[in-house]
Amino acid sequence: MNYVRIGKKALNLDSVSYAEAQIWQDEMTVKVYFAGSANNTPLVFGENDAKELWKYLEYVAEKPVG
């Protein structure tokens, strides 16, 4: 299992099916959707937690081989 701690939350990256960043001027939110969730309501991170999580996801995301 791959966990990342963001603020007061610990997130299991193995259960994440999709993450979406929304950026307005200087404000940012990240919606995280989980695999197997019945209603698939996203977990929303705001402000500093969103920036920290998105920076980490970009770091660990698989980059295409060019």
Side-chain angles (χ1 to χ4, degrees):
M1 293 186 164
N2 296 314
Y3 286 93
V4 60
R5 183 169 181 218
I6 303 295
K8 295 180 180 180
K9 298 175 182 81
L11 185 64
N12 181 357
L13 295 179
D14 293 334
S15 65
V16 172
S17 65
Y18 179 73
E20 173 184 310
Q22 296 176 336
I23 303 167
W24 301 275
Q25 296 171 353
D26 62 343
E27 190 175 320
M28 178 179 191
T29 62
V30 174
K31 292 182 180 180
V32 179
Y33 295 86
F34 296 94
S37 180
N39 61 0
N40 210 11
T41 302
L43 176 62
V44 179
F45 291 87
E47 304 280 333
N48 293 332
D49 290 347
K51 291 176 184 175
E52 186 178 342
L53 174 60
W54 196 252
K55 188 184 298 184
Y56 182 75
L57 291 176
E58 284 185 329
Y59 174 75
V60 299
E62 295 181 11
K63 305 292 183 198
V65 177

